[in-house]
Amino acid sequence: MVALPLVTAVQTWDPERYARNARFVSDLGAPVVELLAPRAGERILDLGCGDGALTEKLVGLGCRVVGVDASAAQIAAARARGLDAHVGSGEDLTFDDEFDAVFSNAALHWMKRADRVIEGVWRALAPGGRFVGEMGGDGCVATIVAALSAALARRGHDARAVNPWYFPTATEYRARLEARGFVVQSSALIPRPTALAGDVTGWLETFAESFSTALPAGERPAFLAEVQEALRPKLCDASGRWTADYVRLRFRAAKPLD
Ligand code: BEZ
């Protein structure tokens, strides 16, 4: 399998801005929680837990949940909910045989070293454990990426060098899971056009910082305005409502019993 290019990605998480522009991320997490089918008393690792909105739901169902996220600000917000949450990279998990399930919503596409993530998940799970996740899949926000790339190209930059996302096909991610020994029980690519809380600039500021920080600070407002106008005919309806072209990859895989 081809190694993914690693990029100089810059992404910061401001919990207040996240709550304003991205609450839909956890609000739309019900299908992956359903696929997880958590049972009271289970030990669950929430990988990329963000501000802990779904972690809190799993705790409410009686699970013993540990959250991990690379963002210290998001972990502080998760801890403010009273959760057991820790700063850490999903590409360097250090758990060993500790969980009945590893759960991940809308986080794995930020982790470009996918095989390292899968290896860490495998080690974190007890035999018989399961890995259930939803992430951006092949084609996710392709319209937005194209507009960002074109606007950067007009300024002499190659967006591939700063694109922070990994959106695999179902076949590719299945192959990675199976190569590590997981038995893939389900895997599907699901187009899910997603209504945004405000205009696309709020979304770009929340999720696509890596593209705009390729430019000097003074050029960023014009860059974002240009991208918004390029996207308006494609993603904004006559009433001014914006919808992003999300595609989800949702999967469930089991670590066999020894
Ligand atoms: C998400 O959080 O699901 C997401 C973030 C950035 C791009 C696409 C999807």
Side-chain angles (χ1 to χ4, degrees):
M1 207 161 312
V2 186
L4 292 158
L6 297 175
V7 301
T8 323
V10 177
Q11 179 63 42
T12 54
W13 297 104
D14 167 0
E16 190 275 322
R17 185 180 64 185
Y18 187 85
R20 192 162 11 97
N21 290 311
R23 183 47 60 221
F24 66 86
V25 174
S26 53
D27 288 350
L28 296 175
V32 67
V33 173
E34 201 173 303
L35 188 62
L36 175 68
R39 294 182 290 272
E42 282 192 312
R43 300 160 299 163
I44 297 180
L45 173 63
D46 185 351
L47 174 52
C49 65
D51 67 2
L54 285 180
T55 323
E56 191 171 48
K57 283 205 163 56
L58 298 176
V59 169
L61 293 170
C63 303
R64 290 179 281 152
V65 191
V66 175
V68 167
D69 199 281
S71 161
Q74 292 283 65
I75 287 298
R79 287 189 168 176
R81 296 177 189 262
L83 298 167
D84 181 7
H86 305 270
V87 178
S89 164
E91 296 173 346
D92 293 303
L93 293 174
T94 54
F95 303 98
D96 202 0
D97 202 0
E98 291 174 48
F99 296 100
D100 301 303
V102 175
F103 168 79
S104 186
N105 181 53
L108 295 169
H109 51 259
W110 295 99
M111 304 174 200
K112 288 204 147 181
R113 295 177 174 97
D115 292 330
R116 287 177 62 128
V117 176
I118 290 168
E119 178 63 36
V121 169
W122 175 272
R123 259 187 287 112
L125 285 169
R130 60 201 188 280
F131 180 24
V132 179
E134 182 169 314
M135 64 193 292
D138 186 38
C140 190
V141 295
T143 309
I144 297 176
V145 171
L148 287 164
S149 303
L152 275 185
R154 284 191 285 277
R155 290 160 174 81
H157 292 270
D158 183 347
R160 286 173 301 184
V162 294
N163 185 332
W165 303 316
Y166 166 54
F167 297 137
T169 63
T171 307
E172 178 184 338
Y173 209 72
R174 171 187 286 268
R176 290 187 188 277
L177 290 165
E178 289 177 345
R180 184 55 192 90
F182 280 102
V183 175
V184 178
Q185 298 165 321
S186 69
S187 170
L189 210 55
I190 305 158
R192 194 202 65 197
T194 299
L196 303 184
D199 64 27
V200 76
T201 297
W203 188 94
L204 295 170
E205 287 169 346
T206 306
F207 291 109
E209 194 178 352
S210 189
F211 295 88
S212 49
T213 51
L215 301 170
E219 293 180 24
R220 293 175 200 163
F223 169 75
L224 290 175
E226 185 179 314
V227 172
Q228 169 154 319
E229 288 322 303
L231 289 171
R232 188 182 297 282
K234 297 175 177 134
L235 300 182
C236 185
D237 70 15
S239 327
R241 278 188 293 263
W242 288 85
T243 301
D245 52 337
Y246 273 51
V247 177
R248 315 310 287 164
L249 172 59
R250 191 180 302 148
F251 64 88
R252 177 181 161 117
K255 176 176 178 176
L257 288 165
D258 287 334

